[in-house]
Amino acid sequence: MKKVRIGVIGIGAMGSIHAKYLFDGRIPHAELTAVCDSNTERLDWAKQSFGDKVQLFDNSDLFFASKSCDAVMIATRHYDHPILAIQSLKEGCHTLIEKPAGVYTKAVREMNKVAQKSDKVFGIMYNQRTSPLYQKVKDLVESGELGKLKRTIWIITDWYRPQSYYDAGEWRATWRGEGGGVLLNQDPHQLDLWQWICGMPKRVRSFMTFGKYRDIEVEDDVTTFVEYDHGATGLFVTSTGEAPGTNRLEVSGDRGKVVIENDKLTFWRLRVPESEFNREFRGGFGSPECWKCEIPIHGENAQHIGIIKDWINAILNGTELLAPGVEGINGLTISNAMHLSAWTDRWVDIPFDEDLFYKKLKERIDHSTFQKRGGNETLDVSGTY
Amino acid sequence: MKKVRIGVIGIGAMGSIHAKYLFDGRIPHAELTAVCDSNTERLDWAKQSFGDKVQLFDNSDLFFASKSCDAVMIATRHYDHPILAIQSLKEGCHTLIEKPAGVYTKAVREMNKVAQKSDKVFGIMYNQRTSPLYQKVKDLVESGELGKLKRTIWIITDWYRPQSYYDAGEWRATWRGEGGGVLLNQDPHQLDLWQWICGMPKRVRSFMTFGKYRDIEVEDDVTTFVEYDHGATGLFVTSTGEAPGTNRLEVSGDRGKVVIENDKLTFWRLRVPESEFNREFRGGFGSPECWKCEIPIHGENAQHIGIIKDWINAILNGTELLAPGVEGINGLTISNAMHLSAWTDRWVDIPFDEDLFYKKLKERIDHSTFQKRGGNETLDVSGTY
């Protein structure tokens, strides 16, 4: 079988890992043929790492003009994901973008329009969708084992980042450089999994602090309450300022609750649905019989490699993607709604006013007086996603 | 030593348990000398249970006029707690009220004024303050082991109550009868412990549903975000509609976090405070070394008997109360602020406008068109508090 020729745009922290997987032959039926980065130091790194076997470009127009790739991975800064994805799809390349899909949904919506018109395979690096744990929760919810949902609570406060993380890149944790903090950088996975498992909220009320724990201008602590169409409520609590923090997802429904914590899934299963018990019980105090079930989790979490393989498989064999690129807008919609709610100290309905969001983001970029003390290092991100 | 002569006003579900403890001699240096209830069935029960050794009254004026008690326990419906406590203290009786301190802080503030002028011992039945688990968390917070607080999250959704519970009493879960739902009936303990351990919030933003899970007019589901003076934030999530529900308290600070869940306390202790690590660390990705510490919990949870003994001890020996009656206003303040926030869909600062709260409560009482299907049973509450 012919190998898919892959190019990687953006070979910073994440992109260089992807390029190495490909170069090292860890993705069957795929080969690294080109990389592109505007930073000459990164191109020097690529030259040293890949020698003459991989073409190097310092701008995307030349990269695409070279026709050296059938498929492109985009691992640039967030703002450029939709811009480059649009260029890539229009150039006829299969495309896989890093998360988040972008910084603001207005741009991501344009990207999705292009993707929907394209016949190329468009994916997003939601590498936590490969987790058998979260796949199992999704299975329990979708199969009805949990019954009608009542509440979701995700406490995801274990994204600890010290000041030196923020100081390593001048673009980091600025409105201009990243367009947000913990929501845009650390939480895209959880925001995606949350909606993937529990559905999209219909309105959002969010509370944030900006630079509470670190010398940054964006959010480092977020608490959000949401309501769903299906009647349930939800909570999302996140921070980069806590250690050791917590990663605990609880989803409760008419037939019990599931909790994922410490990489373990437990299902407290009611013998009869709560609503049925409630209808029939006459004893005043009492509750439905509940079984604590340890749910087996099979399979490895293939993470980034899993997503890349899945994308290659879709390109070669027409399979369905585990993480379609157009779904990147969902988590970002929640993220943008959270920002808009915190900025305006109000409820935000979904869909929200995307022009208003963009205006308020732009104000923050334009009025930023924030001076970074940082430099421009490429951090080793192994094991941080 | 002379025994303290105790009267119990209100011998419904809880009051009858208290009266039996006393009658059975389970509280040293105390004896049951009188009970008072407007319900003749309950007085019949008392007659059968206690014979001629205990005086029976069907109204509080006669009860107090009899001078048959040195000390009075008040276990009536919530609205009457402050009214009867004021009468009791003014009659020169030591007084112990059931929780909550009342339904609205305006009335409780009057009660506290009388208590502060009185030389009698005034306590409140916060029987979860006797829990060695919560005492230990309070110890860890107050001694500085946890460092400056960052976040508190109490998920207390295991107060499951089926419809038949609400149907058992015509006053239950009505604005007129109880003045609230899960916050007034089930959560007073947690609201008290929360402020006892973590301090009072300075403002509150609350989200509630009223009769979402049950045919009742008051709240059965509450999510509240709070901010503290000391810079931390907090969450309180509660419901009577979930099974099996969760009871999990997490408190995180500069030196780690503690979690109480399943009657077990775990302290994730940082070797150096997070703020110190952050100041000195230069590595980009990294976090402070964290030790999972299993904290030993000694002693029994003496619950109601513990609180009554503590009150008798204070009466006879002048010791400090574990649960002073005047502190009942704290949890109720948070509870009232939560209601006011949900009713107005706004932030509520603490202290809040108590007249506005009372006005809005009164509107709900006056405009209630709710018809209870229920009767007037006295439920067996053993093991439900």
Side-chain angles (χ1 to χ4, degrees):
Chain A
M1 188 186 275
K2 193 173 155 281
K3 282 188 173 177
V4 181
R5 298 173 308 149
I6 315 248
V8 177
I9 308 184
I11 46 170
M14 278 312 313
S16 60
I17 294 180
H18 300 328
K20 276 191 282 187
Y21 288 150
L22 292 160
F23 186 77
D24 294 344
R26 293 180 65 186
I27 315 291
H29 317 301
E31 61 180 334
L32 182 70
T33 52
V35 297
C36 176
D37 203 300
S38 56
N39 181 337
T40 51
E41 281 175 33
R42 298 310 300 156
L43 291 177
D44 289 347
W45 169 86
K47 181 97 190 157
Q48 283 182 340
S49 304
F50 309 134
D52 296 331
K53 294 179 191 160
V54 173
Q55 295 188 57
L56 313 183
F57 299 94
D58 64 2
N59 83 69
S60 63
D61 292 339
L62 294 176
F63 169 90
F64 285 111
S66 75
K67 303 286 180 194
S68 51
C69 317
D70 311 307
V72 173
M73 294 178 63
I74 295 166
T76 58
R77 295 179 194 176
H78 313 332
Y79 277 106
D80 293 334
H81 295 172
I83 298 166
L84 289 167
I86 289 170
Q87 184 174 13
S88 176
L89 290 163
K90 286 190 170 170
E91 294 281 354
C93 298
H94 305 288
T95 304
L96 178 64
I97 56 170
E98 259 297 335
K99 53 84 196 169
V103 172
Y104 51 98
T105 51
K106 210 171 139 74
V108 171
R109 202 171 294 285
E110 290 307 307
M111 173 177 76
N112 283 359
K113 275 185 202 160
V114 174
Q116 272 147 350
K117 277 187 225 157
S118 161
D119 62 348
K120 299 301 165 190
V121 179
F122 176 45
I124 184 165
M125 186 56 82
Y126 277 149
N127 52 285
Q128 294 203 15
R129 285 200 186 186
T130 62
S131 158
L133 267 173
Y134 294 111
Q135 289 178 353
K136 183 63 81 177
V137 178
K138 184 173 167 69
D139 168 18
L140 295 177
V141 170
E142 290 187 351
S143 64
E145 286 287 351
L146 258 179
K148 189 174 179 237
L149 294 195
K150 293 183 174 180
R151 190 190 308 281
T152 75
I153 304 178
W154 204 327
I155 305 172
I156 172 69
T157 51
D158 72 343
W159 282 121
Y160 183 74
R161 293 292 182 267
Q163 186 65 44
S164 72
Y165 163 83
Y166 295 108
D167 292 347
E170 59 179 359
W171 77 98
R172 272 196 203 280
T174 61
W175 296 116
R176 181 180 303 276
E178 294 197 305
V182 62
L183 290 174
L184 272 287
N185 284 286
Q186 284 74 39
D187 290 322
H189 295 301
Q190 284 78 34
L191 291 170
D192 174 60
L193 293 176
W194 196 31
Q195 68 81 30
W196 194 51
I197 295 165
C198 306
M200 283 294 285
K202 69 171 180 180
R203 64 174 189 152
V204 166
R205 186 66 173 87
S206 195
F207 311 95
M208 296 183 190
T209 53
F210 303 90
K212 176 183 190 177
Y213 291 117
R214 301 293 175 257
D215 185 19
I216 56 176
E217 66 179 356
V218 294
E219 80 285 355
D220 55 5
D221 195 275
V222 179
T223 303
T224 302
F225 176 73
V226 305
E227 293 174 351
Y228 298 90
D229 263 336
H230 48 68
T233 64
L235 269 174
F236 191 88
V237 183
T238 191
S239 179
T240 49
E242 275 176 59
T246 293
N247 183 357
R248 181 183 186 278
L249 172 63
E250 171 176 325
V251 183
S252 51
D254 192 35
R255 302 181 72 103
K257 71 168 180 179
V258 291
V259 174
I260 292 184
E261 190 170 12
N262 304 319
D263 292 319
K264 200 177 148 190
L265 188 157
T266 309
F267 179 16
W268 280 265
R269 181 182 181 274
L270 302 181
R271 191 162 175 183
V272 298
E274 183 280 311
S275 53
E276 185 183 324
F277 174 87
N278 181 55
R279 211 160 39 235
E280 293 170 7
F281 182 70
R282 294 289 172 267
F285 291 99
S287 56
E289 186 176 323
C290 181
W291 303 344
K292 183 178 177 184
C293 308
E294 307 290 341
I295 305 293
I297 303 297
H298 295 300
E300 269 180 86
N301 188 349
Q303 293 272 13
H304 297 94
I305 288 182
I307 292 291
I308 303 174
K309 283 182 179 174
D310 184 66
W311 177 57
I312 298 294
N313 196 24
I315 293 169
L316 292 174
N317 306 311
T319 49
E320 291 277 314
L321 283 178
L322 177 62
V326 290
E327 292 183 15
I329 201 167
N330 294 345
L332 188 67
T333 295
I334 304 174
S335 168
N336 282 186
M338 287 178 177
H339 269 117
L340 192 55
S341 172
W343 289 338
T344 58
D345 199 17
R346 292 281 183 280
W347 282 103
V348 168
D349 291 326
I350 290 175
F352 56 84
D353 181 341
E354 296 186 338
D355 291 320
L356 179 65
F357 176 86
Y358 182 71
K359 180 171 160 268
K360 294 210 168 273
L361 173 64
K362 195 77 177 28
E363 281 168 14
R364 278 158 182 81
I365 294 168
D366 293 343
H367 299 156
S368 171
T369 55
F370 191 74
Q371 294 295 324
K372 288 287 289 203
R373 4 174 184 155
N376 201 353
E377 297 171 45
T378 298
L379 292 173
D380 177 5
V381 295
S382 335
T384 63
Y385 24 82
Chain B
M1 190 185 275
K2 192 171 156 287
K3 284 187 173 176
V4 181
R5 297 173 309 149
I6 315 247
V8 177
I9 306 183
I11 46 170
M14 277 312 313
S16 60
I17 294 180
H18 300 329
K20 277 192 282 189
Y21 287 152
L22 291 160
F23 186 77
D24 294 344
R26 293 180 66 186
I27 315 291
H29 317 302
E31 60 181 334
L32 182 70
T33 54
V35 296
C36 176
D37 203 300
S38 56
N39 181 337
T40 52
E41 281 175 31
R42 297 311 299 157
L43 291 176
D44 290 346
W45 171 86
K47 182 94 190 158
Q48 283 183 340
S49 303
F50 308 134
D52 295 331
K53 293 178 190 159
V54 173
Q55 295 189 57
L56 312 182
F57 299 93
D58 65 1
N59 83 67
S60 63
D61 292 339
L62 295 174
F63 169 90
F64 284 111
S66 74
K67 302 287 179 196
S68 51
C69 315
D70 311 308
V72 174
M73 293 178 65
I74 296 166
T76 58
R77 293 176 195 177
H78 313 332
Y79 277 106
D80 292 334
H81 295 172
I83 298 166
L84 289 166
I86 289 171
Q87 185 174 14
S88 177
L89 290 163
K90 285 189 171 170
E91 293 282 355
C93 297
H94 304 289
T95 304
L96 179 64
I97 56 171
E98 259 297 335
K99 53 84 196 169
V103 173
Y104 50 98
T105 51
K106 209 170 140 75
V108 171
R109 201 170 295 285
E110 289 307 307
M111 173 177 77
N112 283 358
K113 276 186 201 158
V114 173
Q116 272 147 350
K117 277 188 223 156
S118 160
D119 61 348
K120 300 300 164 190
V121 179
F122 175 46
I124 184 165
M125 187 55 83
Y126 277 149
N127 51 285
Q128 294 202 17
R129 284 200 186 186
T130 62
S131 157
L133 267 173
Y134 295 111
Q135 289 179 353
K136 184 62 81 176
V137 179
K138 184 174 167 67
D139 168 18
L140 294 177
V141 170
E142 289 187 350
S143 64
E145 287 287 351
L146 258 179
K148 188 172 180 237
L149 294 194
K150 292 182 175 180
R151 189 189 311 278
T152 76
I153 304 178
W154 204 328
I155 306 172
I156 171 71
T157 51
D158 72 343
W159 282 120
Y160 183 74
R161 292 290 182 269
Q163 186 65 43
S164 73
Y165 162 83
Y166 295 108
D167 293 347
E170 59 179 359
W171 78 98
R172 272 196 204 279
T174 61
W175 296 116
R176 182 181 301 277
E178 295 198 304
V182 61
L183 290 175
L184 271 287
N185 284 285
Q186 283 73 39
D187 290 321
H189 295 300
Q190 283 78 34
L191 291 170
D192 174 60
L193 293 176
W194 196 30
Q195 67 83 28
W196 194 50
I197 295 165
C198 306
M200 284 293 285
K202 68 172 182 180
R203 65 175 189 152
V204 166
R205 186 69 173 85
S206 194
F207 311 95
M208 296 183 191
T209 54
F210 304 91
K212 176 183 191 178
Y213 292 116
R214 302 292 174 256
D215 184 20
I216 55 175
E217 66 179 356
V218 294
E219 81 285 355
D220 55 6
D221 195 276
V222 178
T223 303
T224 302
F225 176 73
V226 304
E227 294 175 350
Y228 298 91
D229 263 335
H230 47 68
T233 65
L235 269 174
F236 191 87
V237 184
T238 191
S239 180
T240 51
E242 276 177 59
T246 294
N247 183 357
R248 181 182 186 278
L249 172 63
E250 171 175 325
V251 183
S252 52
D254 192 36
R255 303 180 71 103
K257 71 168 180 178
V258 291
V259 174
I260 292 184
E261 191 171 11
N262 305 318
D263 293 320
K264 200 176 149 191
L265 189 157
T266 309
F267 180 16
W268 280 266
R269 181 183 181 275
L270 302 181
R271 191 163 176 181
V272 298
E274 183 280 311
S275 53
E276 185 182 323
F277 174 87
N278 182 55
R279 211 161 40 237
E280 293 170 8
F281 182 70
R282 294 288 171 269
F285 291 99
S287 56
E289 185 176 323
C290 180
W291 303 346
K292 183 178 177 185
C293 307
E294 307 291 340
I295 304 293
I297 303 296
H298 295 299
E300 269 180 86
N301 188 349
Q303 293 272 14
H304 297 94
I305 288 182
I307 292 291
I308 304 174
K309 282 182 179 173
D310 184 65
W311 177 56
I312 298 294
N313 195 25
I315 293 169
L316 292 173
N317 306 312
T319 49
E320 292 276 317
L321 284 177
L322 177 62
V326 292
E327 292 183 13
I329 201 166
N330 294 345
L332 188 66
T333 295
I334 303 174
S335 168
N336 282 186
M338 287 177 177
H339 269 117
L340 193 53
S341 172
W343 289 338
T344 58
D345 199 17
R346 291 280 184 282
W347 282 103
V348 169
D349 291 326
I350 290 177
F352 57 84
D353 181 341
E354 295 186 340
D355 290 320
L356 179 66
F357 176 86
Y358 182 71
K359 180 170 161 271
K360 296 210 165 272
L361 173 64
K362 194 78 176 30
E363 281 168 13
R364 277 157 184 82
I365 295 169
D366 294 344
H367 300 157
S368 171
T369 55
F370 191 75
Q371 294 293 325
K372 287 288 289 204
R373 6 171 184 160
N376 200 352
E377 297 172 47
T378 299
L379 292 172
D380 176 5
V381 294
S382 335
T384 63
Y385 25 80

